[in-house]
């Protein structure tokens, strides 16, 4: 008489429990890997978009010089938390403003254009660029300081606009909600620029 050896009920339950643990942790690892493969490129795109926008505001591009080359802050229209016009060294009026969740620029009398240029692509319609500061309320893009490095109160007047000596820029670029759990990206960047008065 031969005895056949088989799994006992306890051994079977243990094997099922071990497989369940391995499968559960594997599924969690796989879902995070897939989420990161979508989130990381979105995050890098938002970092690039915010960096390019700040660089155009500060340095300018092939179309016009930026704030680093400002000659004077214009009082037409008066600067606000989301709208700034200045005259650059080429004596050209440049206006930056946030409108419809996009950063827009007007050079002299040319039509307003979205910057950076690729942000106007219809494939990026879920992308928003906004002010991220809170100095003058939520959504502040530009914060103004005088020669004593004291924050200036809004609204600026023609006289106080001429006294702006430093501008802090707070920008947020966001795809969709910008949340990791929604597989989106968000980049908050800030910089500050001295405003020289060239004669």
């Amino acid at each position: 008489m031969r005895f056949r050896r088989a799994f006992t009920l306890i051994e079977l339950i243990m094997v099922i429990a071990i497989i369940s643990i391995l499968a559960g942790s594997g599924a969690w690892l796989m879902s995070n890997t897939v989420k990161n493969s979508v989130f990381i490129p979105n995050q890098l795109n938002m970092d690039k978009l915010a960096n390019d926008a700040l660089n155009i505001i500060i340095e300018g591009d092939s179309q016009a010089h930026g704030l680093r080359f400002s000659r004077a802050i214009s009082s037409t229209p008066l600067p606000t938390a989301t709208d700034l016009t200045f005259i650059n060294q080429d004596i050209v009026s440049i206006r930056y403003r946030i409108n419809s969740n996009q950063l827009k620029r007007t050079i002299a009398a040319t039509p307003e254009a979205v910057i950076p240029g690729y942000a106007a692509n219809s494939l990026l319609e879920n992308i928003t660029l906004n002010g991220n500061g809170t100095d003058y309320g939520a959504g502040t893009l530009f914060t103004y300081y005088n020669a004593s490095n004291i924050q200036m109160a809004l609204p600026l007047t023609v006289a106080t606009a001429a006294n702006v000596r430093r501008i802090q820029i707070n920008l947020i670029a966001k795809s969709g909600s910008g949340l990791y759990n929604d597989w989106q990206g968000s980049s908050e960047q800030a910089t500050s620029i001295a405003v020289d008065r060239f004669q």
Side-chain angles (χ1 to χ4, degrees):
M1 219 160 119
R2 274 203 257 176
F3 291 100
R4 285 199 215 169
R5 210 151 144 82
F7 289 114
T8 65
L9 183 59
I10 292 176
E11 289 172 333
L12 193 57
I13 290 172
M14 291 300 290
V15 168
I16 292 171
I18 290 170
I19 290 173
S20 298
I21 290 169
L22 292 175
S25 60
W28 176 83
L29 184 62
M30 186 58 141
S31 72
N32 276 346
T33 302
V34 170
K35 189 180 283 189
N36 281 339
S37 69
V38 174
F39 168 76
I40 290 173
N42 281 341
Q43 182 63 38
L44 291 174
N45 286 338
M46 293 306 98
D47 287 341
K48 178 176 176 16
L49 181 62
N51 185 62
D52 288 350
L54 285 178
N55 193 52
I56 290 172
I57 292 172
I58 299 296
E59 300 295 338
D61 57 16
S62 60
Q63 296 178 16
H65 287 107
L67 265 172
R68 184 178 306 283
F69 306 95
S70 66
R71 192 177 172 97
I73 299 300
S74 176
S75 57
T76 314
L78 285 169
T80 69
T82 58
D83 193 331
L84 169 66
T85 304
F86 67 96
I87 310 299
N88 69 12
Q89 288 177 337
D90 301 325
I91 313 179
V92 175
S93 173
I94 311 290
R95 182 183 186 189
Y96 293 108
R97 73 185 186 113
I98 292 288
N99 183 26
S100 302
N101 293 327
Q102 292 181 319
L103 181 60
K104 298 186 177 180
R105 175 178 66 184
T106 306
I107 302 170
T110 62
E112 190 172 60
V114 173
I115 59 165
Y118 62 83
N121 188 325
S122 61
L123 297 175
L124 298 177
E125 60 189 22
N126 202 23
I127 306 300
T128 59
L129 265 172
N130 272 310
N132 192 43
T134 57
D135 296 318
Y136 302 128
T140 297
L141 178 62
F142 301 109
T143 305
Y144 307 98
Y145 295 86
N146 61 21
S148 302
N149 207 31
I150 297 170
Q151 182 178 319
M152 301 172 75
L154 291 182
L156 295 179
T157 63
V158 173
T160 57
N163 293 328
V164 173
R165 290 295 171 272
R166 184 171 71 86
I167 300 173
Q168 182 174 321
I169 307 166
N170 296 286
L171 186 69
I172 182 168
K174 190 163 55 170
S175 63
S177 67
L179 299 175
Y180 175 79
N181 286 336
D182 293 338
W183 301 26
Q184 306 292 331
S186 175
S187 180
E188 301 175 20
Q189 297 188 25
T191 189
S192 184
I193 181 76
V195 178
D196 297 316
R197 293 182 70 184
F198 295 102
Q199 303 302 323

